[in-house]
Amino acid sequence: MRVCLLVVLSVSYCASKVYVDKIDRYIISCHTTDFECFKRQYKALRDNVLLGNDRIGIPTYEHYVFAYGGGTCVKLTGLEESELAGIKLESEPKKLTLVLELPLRIQQVKDTIKVCARPDREFNFIQPQKNPLMRFTGNATIGITYPYKLKKKKGLIYMQLEDENLDVILDIPDLSHFHLNSEVEAKLYEWSEWAYEVVQHVDAAEYFALPYTTQLRTLMEHLPLYRFIMLYPDEEYHDLHFSFSEATVVTNP
């Protein structure tokens, strides 16, 4: 029995070391006073980890695509271009808050690629299909608050992120002031009204944002906190707190 236990521990240690070795190149460590560094850190994680990385076991983020009608679906995209607009770390209670800002692309697509999810609220009436397919780009702000615990493993501190709270604001501008006798402005108005109506049928927090934000929880389970946050000599992880923001909204805890 003792021999088997030693083998299991050895395999676990090797697997963890391989994980760290593979992901180490994507991590930027930041001091608690450097917001620009945190923005670079997020971008590196977004591009190399949070959108998926098969080499380290992070699943690929799938765009949310839901059924619309007439053989079409609606696809929501934009997280692949998201930027860190705010970060806040609190020690009492322990919470990590991130604010992301991104272009929200709402696009009607043919349903030939994959089976589309059913919307939360079914569409009662779908206008006859027109060409080209409808599309609109607005903006979105996503506030993510992770309660966390600090865990010590083999002398290193890890941040264990718990289930996140999400605030998702979809900004689709009201273009009713556009001149409808202008072909371009009339088309933009039509698309914006369509986009606004479409997003009323889905829970963007659960289906658009959550599959992406959970990726960070998976990542933080495997890497010690010092790989993300560097301390000054007078700082300790257990009472660390800082806050930076460029966001236009305040998130709810």
Side-chain angles (χ1 to χ4, degrees):
M1 177 65 71
R2 180 176 299 172
V3 173
C4 292
L5 178 59
L6 289 175
V7 170
V8 170
L9 290 176
S10 177
V11 171
S12 176
Y13 171 76
C14 291
S16 177
K17 185 176 186 302
V18 169
Y19 189 103
V20 172
D21 288 346
K22 286 182 177 179
I23 202 172
D24 204 52
R25 71 195 70 178
Y26 307 133
I27 304 298
I28 298 174
S29 302
C30 298
H31 280 295
T32 56
T33 55
D34 194 344
F35 184 35
E36 293 302 317
C37 179
F38 281 117
K39 290 193 285 187
R40 293 193 302 272
Q41 179 190 84
Y42 171 75
K43 185 175 181 180
L45 290 176
R46 179 199 71 190
D47 293 343
N48 298 293
V49 180
L50 299 181
L51 290 171
N53 188 314
D54 291 337
R55 295 178 61 193
I56 55 178
I58 301 292
T60 300
Y61 169 74
E62 298 286 345
H63 293 132
Y64 182 45
V65 183
F66 57 95
Y68 181 58
T72 67
C73 304
V74 174
K75 180 167 70 172
L76 302 183
T77 64
L79 277 164
E80 61 276 13
E81 298 178 50
S82 57
E83 302 286 346
L84 182 69
I87 182 171
K88 182 178 183 180
L89 187 69
E90 300 171 80
S91 59
E92 191 57 46
K94 287 182 166 52
K95 292 187 297 184
L96 171 66
T97 299
L98 306 177
V99 178
L100 309 181
E101 293 186 343
L102 55 136
L104 175 68
R105 293 186 172 82
I106 306 164
Q107 183 180 2
Q108 186 184 15
V109 295
K110 295 290 187 180
D111 64 356
T112 55
I113 300 176
K114 59 183 291 186
V115 176
C116 303
R118 292 185 61 180
D120 297 316
R121 292 169 292 281
E122 296 289 345
F123 293 91
N124 296 323
F125 174 73
I126 303 296
Q127 294 181 353
Q129 179 55 43
K130 300 177 181 179
N131 287 314
L133 298 176
M134 303 288 278
R135 66 186 187 277
F136 192 81
T137 300
N139 297 288
T141 301
I142 302 176
I144 315 127
T145 300
Y146 303 90
Y148 72 87
K149 297 177 182 177
L150 296 179
K151 300 289 186 179
K152 195 169 187 178
K153 294 188 292 186
K154 298 181 179 179
L156 297 175
I157 301 296
Y158 288 74
M159 177 180 282
Q160 179 182 319
L161 300 180
E162 300 181 353
D163 290 349
E164 58 268 57
N165 297 315
L166 286 172
D167 288 331
V168 178
I169 297 177
L170 307 182
D171 180 17
I172 301 173
D174 179 5
L175 302 182
S176 58
H177 61 284
F178 273 25
H179 296 291
L180 300 185
N181 57 351
S182 163
E183 183 177 352
V184 172
E185 292 194 0
K187 181 61 66 176
L188 288 173
Y189 170 72
E190 177 188 357
W191 286 354
S192 71
E193 291 296 292
W194 169 82
Y196 179 79
E197 195 273 334
V198 161
V199 298
Q200 307 305 308
H201 290 261
V202 296
D203 185 336
E206 180 175 359
Y207 300 111
F208 175 62
L210 186 61
Y212 177 79
T213 60
T214 56
Q215 306 279 58
L216 184 60
R217 286 198 283 115
T218 302
L219 172 65
M220 297 295 284
E221 293 175 359
H222 296 277
L223 294 178
L225 188 53
Y226 82 87
R227 293 299 293 114
F228 302 93
I229 301 176
M230 294 184 292
L231 296 180
Y232 289 109
D234 58 341
E235 293 179 327
E236 299 287 345
Y237 285 122
H238 71 273
D239 61 0
L240 199 61
H241 59 274
F242 57 84
S243 179
F244 303 99
S245 180
E246 293 177 351
T248 56
V249 299
V250 178
T251 61
N252 296 321

